[in-house]
Amino acid sequence: MPAPDGVKNHAPGTVTKKQHERRIGVDIGGTKIDALVFDHADKVIFEKRIDTPKDYEPMIKAVAGLVEEAGKGTVGIGAPGSGDPETGVWRNSNFVASNGQTLAKDLEAAIGRPIRIENDANCFALSEAKDGAGAGFGSIAFFTIGTGLGGGLVIDGKIIRGAHAEAAEFGHTGLPWMTELDWPPVKCFCGKQGCAEMYVSGTGLVLDYKRVTGFELTGQEIIARARLGAVAAAAALMRMQDRFARICANILNVIDPDIFVMGGGLSTLPELVEELPPHIARYTFSGKAIPRVERAKHGGNSGVRGAARLWG
Ligand SMILES: [Zn+2]
């Protein structure tokens, strides 16, 4: 599998200085920051998780502190959102404190070494494509279904970033083939309305349940009630499954990936993984294309593993 952009491949059998180095990965999530270190043999030799500070400056300091604790090595960082390719200004993050900031520059200054930074869903995609559920497949579409809905696309081992670093933002594509159950479109933090993330995510599940029943429960409470047979909660999960099937079918109609790989907290739901393929098929152009859908192999660790691999 080709290495990500900017990383040179070495001939098999040659031992390079790079292969002796330690690789640090940091994943800045909305609630937790994870760090790990791979040694030269891809063995995890350090792992730590802390709470994400709510404000920008304390978050930068917390990441720098984690990297110092992790020790020597290259530093790869995953974070929600992306840097504007022209100005470096961070945008589109659901960790809104980092929007409008020069995140990469500020992290690099605080850490005191060169860093590579990448959208968190792209890090997840890189990890699962390399040695996870997507290994060996040519085209892979990734979703991280958690508080939000992240997307990633890897083709022939390369992350597809696009001309404006906005490719595979599946969560902010419009929910396709809307019905009266989806109407009126839900307002999104990005300023648009009807974004996929507002329907398929922990946030989306809570909003949908409240809209239909008038009651506000957490995502975990809704799932627990559905498992106990509560009709309104089970119906909310079915609506989320149908909406997710439409979102996936829309992607299939564009790129028809070899496999969909699902990660994030809500990917534990069979409704969004094992049970999904026939529902996707109904919405594809032919009505018959049953896609391969699998759960991420490295679970919640995929993002931080991928971040560590940004240097190869
Ligand atoms: Zn949006």
Side-chain angles (χ1 to χ4, degrees), residues 19-42:
Q19 286 166 318
H20 289 294
E21 281 175 3
R22 303 160 91 252
R23 284 163 297 156
I24 302 168
V26 181
D27 182 43
I28 305 172
T31 54
K32 302 281 176 195
I33 302 177
D34 285 300
L36 66 68
V37 179
F38 280 125
D39 70 3
H40 65 284
D42 266 355

Side-chain angles (χ1 to χ4, degrees), residues 48-127:
K48 189 160 180 184
R49 164 174 278 203
I50 60 169
D51 290 332
T52 309
K54 286 205 164 40
D55 297 319
Y56 184 70
E57 289 296 335
M59 184 275 287
I60 297 284
K61 280 199 183 122
V63 173
L66 264 180
V67 170
E68 197 177 330
E69 211 179 314
K72 284 184 184 165
T74 56
V75 183
I77 295 177
S82 65
D84 185 307
E86 282 177 22
T87 63
V89 172
W90 206 256
R91 72 258 159 106
N92 298 339
S93 177
N94 55 10
F95 179 64
V96 288
S98 63
N99 288 334
Q101 306 278 0
T102 49
L103 181 63
K105 207 172 125 207
D106 299 344
L107 282 169
E108 203 160 66
I111 290 166
R113 358 179 172 163
I115 63 160
R116 284 186 180 173
I117 188 162
E118 182 61 79
N119 172 268
D120 55 352
N122 282 349
C123 291
F124 162 81
L126 185 64
S127 167

Side-chain angles (χ1 to χ4, degrees), residues 171-172 188-192 195 197-198:
H172 300 276
C188 181
F189 74 89
C190 75
K192 319 291 190 303
C195 288
E197 173 163 317
M198 291 296 107

Side-chain angles (χ1 to χ4, degrees), residues 1-284:
M1 173 163 300
D5 289 353
V7 181
K8 284 190 183 121
N9 277 319
H10 297 283
T14 59
V15 177
T16 65
K17 188 165 171 277
K18 176 184 281 297
Q19 286 166 318
H20 289 294
E21 281 175 3
R22 303 160 91 252
R23 284 163 297 156
I24 302 168
V26 181
D27 182 43
I28 305 172
T31 54
K32 302 281 176 195
I33 302 177
D34 285 300
L36 66 68
V37 179
F38 280 125
D39 70 3
H40 65 284
D42 266 355
K43 203 173 140 219
V44 176
I45 53 170
F46 172 89
E47 268 184 295
K48 189 160 180 184
R49 164 174 278 203
I50 60 169
D51 290 332
T52 309
K54 286 205 164 40
D55 297 319
Y56 184 70
E57 289 296 335
M59 184 275 287
I60 297 284
K61 280 199 183 122
V63 173
L66 264 180
V67 170
E68 197 177 330
E69 211 179 314
K72 284 184 184 165
T74 56
V75 183
I77 295 177
S82 65
D84 185 307
E86 282 177 22
T87 63
V89 172
W90 206 256
R91 72 258 159 106
N92 298 339
S93 177
N94 55 10
F95 179 64
V96 288
S98 63
N99 288 334
Q101 306 278 0
T102 49
L103 181 63
K105 207 172 125 207
D106 299 344
L107 282 169
E108 203 160 66
I111 290 166
R113 358 179 172 163
I115 63 160
R116 284 186 180 173
I117 188 162
E118 182 61 79
N119 172 268
D120 55 352
N122 282 349
C123 291
F124 162 81
L126 185 64
S127 167
E128 287 293 321
K130 189 171 169 65
D131 61 0
F137 291 93
S139 57
I140 315 158
F142 295 89
F143 279 98
T144 52
I145 324 154
T147 314
L149 184 66
L153 195 54
V154 171
I155 295 182
D156 295 336
K158 283 191 70 162
I159 294 174
I160 306 300
R161 295 185 181 83
H164 309 89
E166 298 206 57
E169 287 288 2
F170 301 145
H172 300 276
T173 57
L175 180 71
W177 303 297
M178 277 203 174
T179 70
E180 62 274 16
L181 289 173
D182 312 317
W183 203 260
V186 181
K187 279 202 167 63
C188 181
F189 74 89
C190 75
K192 319 291 190 303
Q193 53 180 17
C195 288
E197 173 163 317
M198 291 296 107
Y199 294 90
V200 177
S201 63
T203 309
L205 182 61
V206 170
L207 286 174
D208 177 68
Y209 189 83
K210 191 178 172 190
R211 190 148 78 152
V212 173
T213 67
F215 294 106
E216 189 162 349
L217 298 180
T218 66
Q220 289 311 317
E221 284 167 344
I222 296 166
I223 292 162
R225 287 189 182 209
R227 296 296 176 246
L228 291 170
V231 174
L237 283 193
M238 289 297 100
R239 284 193 295 276
M240 185 160 72
Q241 180 186 56
D242 177 68
R243 289 162 178 159
F244 196 32
R246 282 183 258 157
I247 294 159
C248 292
N250 213 25
I251 292 165
L252 193 149
N253 283 349
V254 179
I255 54 164
D256 199 358
D258 293 327
I259 184 171
F260 287 90
V261 178
M262 311 304 189
L266 288 187
S267 69
T268 53
L269 297 175
E271 285 90 343
L272 303 185
V273 184
E274 288 87 348
E275 298 169 15
L276 194 64
H279 296 282
I280 298 175
R282 285 193 290 122
Y283 289 106
T284 61

